[in-house]
Amino acid sequence: MADRPRRPRLHRTLLAALVTFAVAVPVSGAARPDAVPAPAPTVLGPLRDASPAALEERYAVSRSDIRAAGLAADAHGDRTRADSLRAMAAAGRQFLSFDGRDGGRSVEVVGKLSSARRIAVLVPGAGVGLDAYGRLRRDATALQEELGEGTAVLVWLGYRSPATVSPAALTTGRADEAAPGLRALVDEVRAVRPAARISLLCHSYGSVICARSASGTAADALVLYGSPGVGAGSVAALRTGARVWAGRGGDDWIARVPHVRVRVPFVATVGFGTDPVAARFGAEVFDAGDGGHSDYLLPGSRSLTNLARIVTGAEPLGASR
């Protein structure tokens, strides 16, 4: 009798090793980004008016809150955080909301939301935050420039992003906490820009958040790229009316992550299951080029071109089912 396939067992072994490594990483001596103090922000409430005047007033309030957080970070002796916040508070930056506490939360607009007909919401993955915010800004700017007139990109940093190598990055816990906030933002944007096309662009662990917020979402498209899996076995399991796309760069290390879900005693269910670019998942697969895990929004890349096409409602180049 032939030997039984060993791939599932191998995947479980690899995942168990990853979990063991993540748990064993020494963090006690490291400074935690969420330990940097910040004052409570101004209470703004939900977004209800997208007129230029109303938005500018909201941007001004958030800019003031960012500057206050920067002063607190400077007094705390965290120059990295202070420098990042100083850049975020620069004239012309447009934040719908900001809260510097607990690692930081923010929503930035790149482009003109008041007149946007096509809106992309960037949902970042693990290992991002206020200290590395410049990378998110760079990606959003590249996308908005690719999209052109009549568009806006919203950078949604609405949760405490887990470290790339950590137990939290291997479970859905942070995503479960973050999903209601993402769904609320999309609902608010839909209410103030009812005729706009809204797309969620979900990178890496961000794809897990998007999947958790997919049911009943007001978004038109859900784009999962560089995804480790989303905690659901298929598009049908997402129970969404949005069109679901998936893509992965040819040099993205996420392809080597075992696409399984395993119950680890005394920890949690670890892993995210089916690969979103696998045929059995059921997403429409787009050509994401040959870049790495952080290269999807690089200017001139095939992935950026196709992400922009999806946002505008055009068919991506080289798409397949």
Side-chain angles (χ1 to χ4, degrees):
M1 181 180 294
D3 291 340
R4 297 177 66 182
R6 295 185 177 182
R7 185 176 296 274
R9 182 179 299 174
L10 175 60
H11 279 180
R12 285 167 171 77
T13 300
L14 290 172
L15 189 58
L18 184 59
V19 172
T20 300
F21 174 67
V23 173
V25 170
V27 296
S28 59
R32 296 181 296 113
D34 58 352
V36 181
T42 305
V43 178
L44 288 171
L47 177 66
R48 301 188 188 281
D49 186 350
S51 67
L55 288 174
E56 185 50 49
E57 182 178 351
R58 195 176 182 101
Y59 298 155
V61 171
S62 292
R63 191 176 302 118
S64 178
D65 287 340
I66 296 169
R67 286 172 178 160
L71 291 175
D74 211 7
H76 185 68
D78 193 320
R79 293 295 304 276
T80 298
R81 175 69 60 84
D83 289 346
S84 180
L85 292 172
R86 192 172 297 111
M88 293 170 69
R93 299 289 288 270
Q94 304 176 145
F95 283 85
L96 289 174
S97 62
F98 175 83
D99 186 344
R101 300 170 299 175
D102 189 33
R105 311 284 191 277
S106 64
V107 181
E108 184 176 16
V109 178
V110 179
K112 293 183 178 180
L113 181 58
S114 61
S115 59
R117 301 182 303 276
R118 303 288 184 267
I119 299 170
V121 181
L122 292 185
V123 182
V128 300
L130 295 182
D131 293 342
Y133 191 84
R135 184 177 65 190
L136 295 177
R137 168 72 177 187
R138 177 203 68 191
D139 288 347
T141 300
L143 177 60
Q144 204 279 325
E145 290 176 351
E146 183 78 14
L147 289 168
E149 292 294 322
T151 64
V153 177
L154 275 58
V155 184
W156 182 82
L157 184 60
Y159 74 115
R160 185 158 57 91
S161 172
T164 303
V165 180
S166 68
L170 301 174
T171 69
T172 63
R174 296 282 177 89
D176 292 334
E177 295 172 0
L182 177 59
R183 188 183 297 110
L185 173 68
V186 176
D187 287 345
E188 291 170 20
V189 173
R190 174 61 71 204
V192 297
R193 300 295 301 159
R197 174 181 169 81
I198 302 174
S199 301
L200 292 177
L201 303 191
C202 318
H203 179 240
S204 195
Y205 188 84
S207 66
V208 186
I209 300 172
C210 287
R212 288 304 200 253
S213 70
S215 180
T217 183
D220 298 286
L222 186 67
V223 191
L224 316 171
Y225 57 103
S227 174
V230 299
S234 66
V235 168
L238 298 179
R239 297 179 296 152
T240 182
R243 192 173 181 184
V244 180
W245 293 91
R248 184 169 63 225
D251 197 32
D252 190 340
W253 58 262
I254 207 76
R256 298 189 291 275
V257 172
H259 290 96
V260 295
R261 299 195 77 197
V262 179
R263 177 68 186 175
V264 178
F266 311 110
V267 181
T269 298
V270 177
F272 304 107
T274 308
D275 188 345
V277 301
R280 66 181 180 278
F281 187 76
E284 298 182 70
V285 178
F286 69 94
D287 181 1
D290 56 5
H293 192 62
S294 300
D295 299 337
Y296 289 92
L297 295 174
L298 286 182
S301 65
R302 171 58 71 93
S303 53
L304 176 59
T305 296
N306 277 340
L307 286 168
R309 289 178 68 88
I310 292 171
V311 171
T312 61
E315 292 296 304
L317 305 175
S320 63
R321 289 183 181 271

